[in-house]
Coordinates of all heavy atoms in Angstrom, one line a residue:
L332 N -57.6 -26.7 -59.4 CA -57.3 -27.6 -60.4 C -56.9 -29.0 -59.9 O -57.4 -30.0 -60.4 CB -56.1 -27.0 -61.2 CG -55.7 -27.6 -62.5 CD1 -54.9 -26.6 -63.3 CD2 -54.8 -28.9 -62.4
L333 N -56.1 -29.0 -58.9 CA -55.8 -30.3 -58.2 C -57.0 -30.9 -57.5 O -57.2 -32.1 -57.7 CB -54.7 -30.0 -57.1 CG -53.3 -29.5 -57.6 CD1 -52.4 -29.2 -56.4 CD2 -52.7 -30.6 -58.5
G334 N -57.8 -30.1 -56.9 CA -59.0 -30.7 -56.2 C -59.9 -31.3 -57.2 O -60.5 -32.3 -57.0
A335 N -60.2 -30.6 -58.3 CA -61.1 -31.1 -59.4 C -60.6 -32.4 -60.0 O -61.3 -33.4 -60.1 CB -61.3 -30.1 -60.5
A336 N -59.3 -32.5 -60.2 CA -58.7 -33.7 -60.8 C -58.8 -34.8 -59.8 O -59.2 -36.0 -60.2 CB -57.2 -33.4 -61.2
L337 N -58.6 -34.5 -58.5 CA -58.6 -35.6 -57.6 C -60.1 -36.1 -57.3 O -60.3 -37.3 -57.2 CB -58.0 -35.2 -56.2 CG -57.8 -36.1 -55.1 CD1 -57.0 -37.3 -55.5 CD2 -57.2 -35.5 -53.8
A338 N -61.0 -35.1 -57.2 CA -62.4 -35.5 -57.0 C -62.9 -36.3 -58.1 O -63.7 -37.4 -57.9 CB -63.2 -34.2 -56.8
L339 N -62.6 -36.0 -59.4 CA -63.1 -36.8 -60.5 C -62.5 -38.2 -60.5 O -63.2 -39.2 -60.7 CB -62.7 -36.1 -61.8 CG -63.6 -34.9 -62.2 CD1 -63.0 -34.1 -63.4 CD2 -64.9 -35.4 -62.6
T340 N -61.2 -38.3 -60.2 CA -60.5 -39.6 -60.2 C -61.0 -40.5 -59.2 O -61.2 -41.7 -59.5 CB -59.0 -39.3 -60.1 OG1 -58.5 -38.5 -61.1 CG2 -58.3 -40.7 -60.2
V341 N -61.2 -40.1 -58.0 CA -61.6 -40.9 -56.9 C -63.1 -41.3 -57.0 O -63.5 -42.5 -56.8 CB -61.3 -40.2 -55.5 CG1 -61.9 -41.1 -54.4 CG2 -59.8 -40.0 -55.3
N342 N -63.9 -40.3 -57.3 CA -65.4 -40.5 -57.3 C -65.9 -41.3 -58.6 O -66.8 -42.0 -58.6 CB -66.2 -39.3 -57.2 CG -66.1 -38.7 -55.7 OD1 -66.7 -39.1 -54.8 ND2 -65.3 -37.6 -55.6
Y343 N -65.1 -41.1 -59.7 CA -65.5 -41.6 -61.0 C -64.3 -42.2 -61.6 O -63.8 -41.6 -62.6 CB -66.2 -40.6 -61.9 CG -67.4 -39.9 -61.2 CD1 -67.3 -38.6 -60.7 CD2 -68.6 -40.6 -61.0 CE1 -68.4 -38.0 -60.0 CE2 -69.7 -39.9 -60.4 CZ -69.6 -38.7 -60.0 OH -70.6 -38.1 -59.3

Side-chain angles (χ1 to χ4, degrees):
L332 193 156
L333 294 173
L337 186 57
L339 281 169
T340 302
V341 173
N342 287 287
Y343 305 104

